[in-house]
Amino acid sequence: MKAARLHEYTDEMDDALSIDDVDAPQVNQADHVVVDIEGAGWCQTDNHVIEGMWEQYMPQDLPMTLGHENAGTVVAVGDGVSVVAEGDQVICHPVMTCGTCRPCRLGEDMYCENVAFPGLSTDGGFAESLLTNERAVIPLPDGVDTTDIAPHADAGITAYHAVKKAARELNPGDHAVVVGIGGLGHIGLQCLDAMSATTITAVDLKDSALDLATDLGAHHTVNPDSTDVAGEIESITDDVGAQQVLDFVGSDATTALAPDVVAAGGDHHVVGYGGHVHEPAQALVNGEFSYRGTLVGQYTELQELVALVERGDVDLRTSRYGLDEINDVAAKLEHGEIEGRAVITP
């Protein structure tokens, strides 16, 4: 089968992956599931994997097939699989978990002590077929397009996971700020609107992204190129600040907003990454606010997100590309030229 594979780390996205002929995956364990991929979302994390940013956090044997946002049709299952059968359409949670370690028993899929991460530690879904396991697959409702929903396997669940944490702390009349209305942020904004009664302010450098934010439910928009973000949030919130900030950018500039925009006792959720947190300890003490990281989400949260999608509360903006266009997609995302999410259709 054809697969898009990384042979060496590089900063050059134009020819980062090669299309190779490889053996199709086979079921060789009782819980294995093979999925024919009909949609595999391209993520900023894929760019970071290509650059070698994940090498110190997760073992990677190159060459490796990338792609961790996967959906398609089940074509083979192990003898012990009962959740799905051949012909079922599924979305795949990004990781394969063991189910028996303590984190798994607690439902914390991302903390599994025996985790395998297709696209980051094992071969992923930028290929005609993917090997995963029963604990990772979620059957899709009738009528859900497997290509369009694929990015929810990571982008969607990550945004939902962050919003779910934030929504627990939000009351009617509170304010929340969504920073970055891109591939994750436009999902997060919709989840926030569906799951809380908060007043939402969207922050982005692109006016087109802010227009999208307004269409999706934002009450206020701020462009840092023309407006002082901290001053505007202060005005919008009557000097209180935002109880929750969802930062889908994670740059030095966006994490630095926290001391000036987060309300006392609030949280700045770091979802995007690539930057650093450089604030003095006293800023956190004085404001008693927290930085909170976001690492994908739980299997059950992906089920909950699929329910929101089925109900029409979350609409994913996607564009489709063939496997042979994959390096073009990597380069376009690197230069900020993709709106919403790009989906590879192997």
Side-chain angles (χ1 to χ4, degrees):
M1 70 173 185
K2 301 291 185 182
R5 291 169 69 78
L6 177 67
H7 286 257
E8 61 181 2
Y9 301 119
T10 178
D11 292 331
E12 302 300 323
M13 297 296 154
D14 292 328
D15 57 358
L17 305 182
S18 63
I19 308 301
D20 300 341
D21 288 309
V22 300
D23 292 336
Q26 303 294 321
V27 168
N28 52 42
Q29 292 182 20
D31 66 339
H32 275 174
V33 177
V34 176
V35 178
D36 273 359
I37 297 298
E38 290 153 8
W42 186 276
C43 177
Q44 186 71 55
T45 293
D46 293 308
N47 291 61
H48 293 326
V49 171
I50 290 169
E51 293 163 342
M53 285 180 59
W54 276 86
E55 184 184 17
Q56 62 180 309
Y57 300 106
M58 190 161 288
Q60 296 178 335
D61 293 327
L62 302 185
M64 181 178 70
T65 304
L66 271 57
H68 57 276
E69 297 181 346
N70 303 306
T73 300
V74 175
V75 293
V77 298
D79 292 340
V81 173
S82 60
V83 170
V84 294
E86 292 181 20
D88 288 348
Q89 292 188 315
V90 297
I91 187 170
C92 304
H93 189 279
V95 298
M96 300 162 62
T97 58
C98 70
T100 58
C101 68
R102 181 167 175 78
C104 280
R105 299 290 192 187
L106 293 170
E108 295 291 355
D109 301 282
M110 295 307 300
Y111 306 160
C112 174
E113 295 170 359
N114 305 294
V115 70
F117 203 143
L120 275 82
S121 69
T122 64
D123 286 334
F126 293 148
E128 295 174 37
S129 298
L130 169 76
L131 178 65
T132 184
N133 69 359
E134 182 177 31
R135 284 182 55 82
V137 290
I138 295 175
L140 290 171
D142 292 340
V144 173
D145 189 295
T146 50
T147 303
D148 286 340
I149 202 171
H152 280 311
D154 179 37
I157 188 179
T158 301
Y160 179 86
H161 181 57
V163 168
K164 188 174 180 179
K165 290 187 291 183
R168 295 189 186 110
E169 309 298 329
L170 289 167
N171 298 306
D174 286 347
H175 290 260
V177 174
V178 178
V179 181
I181 313 301
L184 271 75
H186 88 286
I187 302 169
L189 194 154
Q190 293 175 82
C191 292
L192 187 61
D193 188 43
M195 297 167 65
S196 74
T198 189
T199 300
I200 302 171
T201 298
V203 178
D204 201 287
L205 292 168
K206 295 181 179 179
D207 288 334
S208 59
L210 295 177
D211 290 340
L212 174 61
T214 300
D215 292 342
L216 296 177
H219 303 91
H220 306 278
T221 60
V222 180
N223 187 326
D225 270 349
S226 57
T227 306
D228 174 62
V229 175
E232 190 68 14
I233 298 301
E234 184 179 13
S235 175
I236 291 170
T237 64
D238 295 327
D239 298 333
V240 173
Q243 279 76 17
Q244 299 290 306
V245 173
L246 293 146
D247 184 354
F248 291 100
V249 178
S251 67
D252 288 11
T254 60
T255 60
L257 290 171
D260 297 320
V261 304
V262 178
D267 299 304
H268 185 116
H269 299 265
V270 181
V271 188
Y273 61 97
H276 307 82
V277 176
H278 291 299
E279 301 313 306
Q282 187 175 352
L284 278 75
V285 171
N286 289 353
E288 205 172 20
F289 70 90
S290 301
Y291 286 101
R292 301 184 66 181
T294 302
L295 180 63
V296 193
Q298 301 168 350
Y299 178 96
T300 51
E301 290 174 325
L302 186 52
Q303 289 178 311
E304 293 160 13
L305 175 59
V306 169
L308 287 180
V309 171
E310 184 182 19
R311 202 171 69 178
D313 288 332
V314 177
D315 177 33
L316 185 60
R317 308 297 171 96
T318 62
S319 51
R320 300 184 181 192
Y321 300 86
L323 191 64
D324 59 341
E325 300 175 280
I326 199 160
N327 288 323
D328 294 335
V329 173
K332 285 182 178 180
L333 188 62
E334 190 74 6
H335 296 114
E337 297 172 359
I338 290 179
E339 299 291 338
R341 300 297 285 188
V343 183
I344 308 300
T345 56

